[in-house]
Amino acid sequence: QVQLVESGGGLVQAGGSLRLSCAASGRTVSSYAMAWFRQAPGKEREFVAGISWNGGTRVHADSVKGRFTISRDNAKNTVYLQMNSLKPEDTAVYYCAVRESLSTTQSQYKYWGQGTQVTVSS
């Protein structure tokens, strides 16, 4: 079993920055691909960024490319999402997820965290 706990969300003004963290626990979690998704009220959950188990492949959604950066520290079983130049449309609950290989499709992920709220004011 894998457990994921997100942290780092909060309130920030437009143009500001936040760094989200997702701490994973469980057997062989460092061998999993990890990803961030987000969901705003009235919208479907969408892919934000993902990273392969060894960090060799990183994918960012077009909406955040150039502003957000995903990274991981396997020694700490933690994935990060550095968010810069935040916009009000980035407001959402951000979720961490893991699976055996990298995917941008949320239905393919088996394990999810509880989410952390990010609110960007204009």
Side-chain angles (χ1 to χ4, degrees), residues 49-94:
I51 187 168
S52 60
W53 73 271
N54 63 355
T57 302
R58 298 191 297 177
V59 179
H60 298 82
D62 289 342
S63 60
V64 305
K65 191 175 299 182
R67 299 187 298 118
F68 293 8
T69 303
I70 190 170
S71 62
R72 68 188 298 166
D73 184 343
N74 286 351
K76 298 181 179 180
N77 290 328
T78 300
V79 64
Y80 305 96
L81 186 68
Q82 179 66 49
M83 305 186 295
N84 299 325
S85 301
L86 283 162
K87 305 175 181 179
E89 51 262 45
D90 295 318
T91 296
V93 177
Y94 284 71

Side-chain angles (χ1 to χ4, degrees), residues 20-112:
L20 306 183
S21 298
C22 175
S25 61
R27 53 186 176 182
T28 64
V29 291
S30 63
S31 66
Y32 286 94
M34 306 183 75
W36 289 96
F37 293 80
R38 67 185 182 186
Q39 187 168 24
K43 298 181 63 178
E44 296 185 9
R45 190 172 301 180
E46 66 175 352
F47 173 81
V48 177
I51 187 168
S52 60
W53 73 271
N54 63 355
T57 302
R58 298 191 297 177
V59 179
H60 298 82
D62 289 342
S63 60
V64 305
K65 191 175 299 182
R67 299 187 298 118
F68 293 8
T69 303
I70 190 170
S71 62
R72 68 188 298 166
D73 184 343
N74 286 351
K76 298 181 179 180
N77 290 328
T78 300
V79 64
Y80 305 96
L81 186 68
Q82 179 66 49
M83 305 186 295
N84 299 325
S85 301
L86 283 162
K87 305 175 181 179
E89 51 262 45
D90 295 318
T91 296
V93 177
Y94 284 71
Y95 297 91
C96 176
V98 301
R99 70 182 305 273
E100 291 81 4
S101 60
L102 182 60
S103 172
T104 61
T105 304
Q106 61 89 20
S107 63
Q108 295 184 350
Y109 284 80
K110 294 182 178 180
Y111 301 103
W112 295 83

